[in-house]
Amino acid sequence: MSTTVRFVPPGVGAIREYRRSWLVKDLVAGAVLTALLVPQGMAYAELAGLPPITGLYTTITCLLGYAVFGPSRILVLGPDSSLGPMIAATILPLVVAGGDPERAVALASMLALMVAVIMIAAGIAGLGFVADLLSKPTMIGYMNGLALTILVGQLPKLFGFSVDADGLVGEVVGFARGVAQGEVVPAAAAVGLGGIGLILVLRRWPRVPAVLVMVVLAIAVSIAFRLGERGVSLVGVLPEGFPPLTIPAVGWSDLGLLLAGAFAIALVSLADTISTASAFAERTGQEVRGNQEMIGIGAANLAAGLFQGFPVSTSASRTAVAERAGARSQLTGVTGAALIIVMILLLPGLFRDLPQSALAAVVITASLSLADLPGTARLWHQRRVEFSLSLVAFAGVALLGVLPGIAIAVGLSILNVFRRAWRPYTTVLGRTEGLPGYHSVRSYPEAEQLPGLVVYRFDAPLFFANARTFRDEVTAIARTEPAPRWIVIAAEPVTDVDTTAADVLLDLDRALDERGQTLAFAELKDPVRRKIDRCGLTRAIEPQHLFPTVEAAVEAYRQQTGATWGGGGAARAGTVPGPRSSPAPTRQPE
């Protein structure tokens, strides 16, 4: 008898569990959400270098795609301010001179399809952990740089003119030159600056749809004062109808750059989605399923790419709006998509008189929410090294561009992990009166050691990059005067030993044997013990020198040597050499 396992999309499962009492709340929340989805979708499309209507196409399709395959009941996906510059940086170099909107849309749609393939494949393969490649400090720096890049890039549009420049410095110079040459359109600047101020003020009342209020007032002012006749650029009538299913046509020569951009976008989108999903899951009691989230994001991008859309991510602000409006399920997003479809089909001229500077105001206020200045200040006070990493990531985005910036952020995160493993915290342990166990002599300088015994702790797995650091420190301890008879490795933090480290340990054991000194291990984990067994290390280090606890090792040393406690100091029998032997500033690392 054969058993067939069928995959049931989360959206289908959600229908089975749907409660009738949720219906009104979801419909109301969907209507409220639409008020935010429309202007933001149009604004973020222009941020990505695409026609405003593509933002609405993208919003509709990604909401429907995630509703079927996304596991979260509350998350809202759509065009995102953090992805807009990445999309523009990927597709604009490939667009022919003079700008071809149709080619730009095709490239963006192919980019969305590539992101979809990456996400779905990674989700099936269980690679949700790749979101951890962006550490919090480097992500803060990246987002700060992105916020500055977006803000500067939108300033000309906010003041009613445009500049032709690449990079942050070029855009600053171009904006300053435009202002100096009198290119500012006063009416556009008034609408844009007023829109920013209004949104920031209304944000004090979370239940007020600040963006919608600003957009409605901007349209009213535009109509009343005929701003289109005063040189203010307007959105105009949107194309009527919904696009057909389309396979984007791009050249083979375009795929390389698109693929690089797709990987960067997928990483940022995943990191943003996992963090947002985790935050809202705590409130709603749901469980975050990282791999299924990847498939859900992939499905949303797939749907967007097939209907002239562009890559999407989770929006924390829109999710928060949906939650505050009473959303209970993905029917909220489906309702929003349906209302936007009605608007496109029946009211394509609804935003005809909306000034472009108002859309710039929407983008700029969104960019301000990306920046995390308090988080940057906290890094300065807590960890100067991580503050430096954040600063380098910021400079990478601001000076080199968005895509190099994300590469720098990922590289810095990986290097920071490698740095900690390469030069981990190390210390000598001693016994402290009134405290059970053994503790770092850095945190407790009064800790006592037995004469001739050093208990040394290395807080990292042993592998090829740090094995020689371990060997050098143990060797330095062995050569202190008076020379210790036993060196016990408190190995509980050592979670792995690779073949390079095993060879180094073997050589170290032989060298200490020749000096008449004993190398012993305490608290080796069973998986690590099995690894060093396979490497033949336990044949060189006698089994009687492998102890289950530090206390057992110390007691064995006492029985063999007759050493006794009393009257000692922490540093008599050996200290950790080098610049890291200074007392720790806190007692946390012990």
Side-chain angles (χ1 to χ4, degrees):
M1 183 177 67
S2 62
T3 303
T4 302
V5 179
R6 293 186 299 172
F7 170 72
V8 178
V12 176
I15 293 175
R16 298 172 181 171
E17 300 173 359
Y18 196 82
R19 302 177 187 175
R20 185 177 299 177
S21 59
W22 293 351
L23 181 59
V24 174
K25 294 180 179 179
D26 280 338
L27 294 177
V28 171
V32 173
L33 184 63
T34 305
L36 186 62
L37 293 174
V38 173
Q40 282 193 345
M42 296 167 63
Y44 297 160
E46 294 210 335
L47 179 61
L50 300 165
I53 188 63
T54 60
L56 302 185
Y57 296 158
T58 301
T59 301
I60 294 167
T61 51
C62 77
L63 287 174
L64 296 177
Y66 187 82
V68 177
F69 292 97
S72 173
R73 294 199 305 263
I74 193 69
L75 289 188
V76 178
L77 270 67
D80 189 68
S81 58
S82 64
L83 298 189
M86 301 178 73
I87 298 168
T90 304
I91 67 172
L92 292 186
L94 300 175
V95 178
V96 296
D100 181 354
E102 291 185 3
R103 175 165 167 75
V105 170
L107 290 168
S109 297
M110 179 56 73
L111 188 61
L113 294 180
M114 287 182 168
V115 172
V117 172
I118 293 170
M119 284 291 198
I120 294 172
I124 293 174
L127 300 179
F129 66 89
V130 298
D132 299 331
L133 290 178
L134 282 173
S135 68
K136 185 66 176 293
T138 52
M139 194 64 176
I140 288 175
Y142 171 76
M143 286 299 182
N144 286 342
L146 194 62
L148 180 62
T149 300
I150 293 173
L151 190 151
V152 171
Q154 292 294 306
L155 284 178
K157 183 178 175 182
L158 186 75
F159 284 81
F161 64 98
S162 62
V163 300
D164 185 13
D166 291 325
L168 181 68
V169 175
E171 289 177 341
V172 170
V173 172
F175 174 70
R177 184 182 296 117
V179 173
Q181 294 176 354
E183 296 181 21
V184 174
V185 178
V191 170
L193 294 174
I196 291 175
L198 183 61
I199 291 174
L200 294 179
V201 169
L202 292 180
R203 278 182 176 177
R204 299 179 181 179
W205 296 276
R207 293 188 179 276
V208 176
V211 173
L212 176 63
V213 171
M214 188 277 290
V215 167
V216 170
L217 289 178
I219 293 174
V221 169
S222 175
I223 295 173
F225 293 95
R226 298 182 178 180
L227 296 186
E229 300 175 6
R230 298 174 181 267
V232 177
S233 178
L234 305 177
V235 170
V237 179
L238 298 175
E240 189 174 349
F242 194 77
L245 177 68
T246 305
I247 304 298
V250 300
W252 287 102
S253 59
D254 300 329
L255 297 182
L257 183 56
L258 289 176
L259 186 60
F263 274 109
I265 290 170
L267 179 59
V268 172
S269 178
L270 177 61
D272 192 27
T273 297
I274 295 299
S275 61
T276 304
S278 300
F280 283 94
E282 292 179 3
R283 304 181 193 179
T284 60
Q286 296 184 64
E287 180 183 353
V288 177
R289 292 183 283 167
N291 295 323
Q292 185 60 51
E293 285 291 357
M294 296 181 81
I295 295 175
I297 301 170
N301 278 280
L302 179 64
L306 292 176
F307 290 92
Q308 299 183 22
F310 51 87
V312 297
S313 179
T314 299
S315 170
S317 61
R318 278 164 280 181
T319 302
V321 168
E323 183 193 41
R324 289 195 298 267
R328 291 295 182 269
S329 75
Q330 286 295 341
L331 181 58
T332 296
V334 174
T335 301
L339 291 176
I340 297 174
I341 291 174
V342 170
M343 188 203 77
I344 292 176
L345 295 178
L346 302 181
L347 301 169
L350 185 62
F351 293 92
R352 172 181 54 217
D353 296 302
L354 176 63
Q356 291 281 358
S357 58
L359 291 182
V362 173
V363 174
I364 288 175
T365 53
S367 74
L368 296 178
S369 66
L370 292 178
D372 188 359
L373 298 183
T376 305
R378 187 170 63 250
L379 290 176
W380 169 260
H381 292 295
Q382 294 178 350
R383 292 290 295 257
R384 296 294 172 86
V385 171
E386 294 189 343
F387 172 81
S388 300
L389 294 175
S390 179
L391 203 61
V392 173
F394 168 81
V397 177
L399 300 179
L400 299 180
V402 177
L403 293 182
I406 190 63
I408 290 172
V410 173
L412 288 175
S413 297
I414 295 173
L415 286 175
N416 192 31
V417 173
F418 189 79
R419 177 189 64 84
R420 292 180 179 182
W422 176 48
R423 300 288 289 175
Y425 183 85
T426 62
T427 189
V428 170
L429 305 182
R431 190 179 73 165
T432 302
E433 185 176 355
L435 287 176
Y438 290 80
H439 305 273
S440 170
V441 299
R442 299 185 185 181
S443 299
Y444 298 90
E446 73 281 2
E448 182 184 9
Q449 297 173 249
L450 281 172
L453 172 68
V454 174
V455 181
Y456 170 75
R457 195 179 71 196
F458 189 84
D459 287 0
L462 274 170
F463 65 113
F464 66 93
N466 64 18
R468 288 171 180 78
T469 299
F470 175 87
R471 178 199 61 194
D472 292 345
E473 292 200 355
V474 173
T475 301
I477 291 173
R479 292 175 179 172
T480 56
E481 293 296 338
R485 298 172 63 181
W486 275 35
I487 300 175
V488 175
I489 309 301
E492 194 271 338
V494 179
T495 56
D496 193 17
V497 176
D498 71 1
T499 53
T500 301
D503 290 343
V504 169
L505 288 176
L506 186 60
D507 293 341
L508 180 63
D509 180 67
R510 289 170 180 169
L512 293 179
D513 283 344
E514 292 175 0
R515 293 173 54 89
Q517 296 171 306
T518 296
L519 181 66
F521 290 83
E523 301 180 352
L524 268 176
K525 292 179 169 60
D526 288 342
V528 179
R529 173 70 179 268
R530 287 192 291 269
K531 289 179 181 179
I532 65 173
D533 280 342
R534 289 195 295 270
C535 294
L537 189 58
T538 49
R539 291 194 295 272
I541 301 176
E542 295 84 352
Q544 61 268 28
H545 291 152
L546 300 175
F547 298 95
T549 63
V550 172
E551 289 81 359
V554 172
E555 185 59 29
Y557 173 77
R558 290 185 60 202
Q559 292 179 4
Q560 179 174 321
T561 63
T564 57
W565 296 103
R572 270 204 329 267
T575 59
V576 180
R580 289 177 294 146
S581 61
S582 58
T586 68
R587 296 188 173 182
Q588 282 186 325
E590 86 165 330

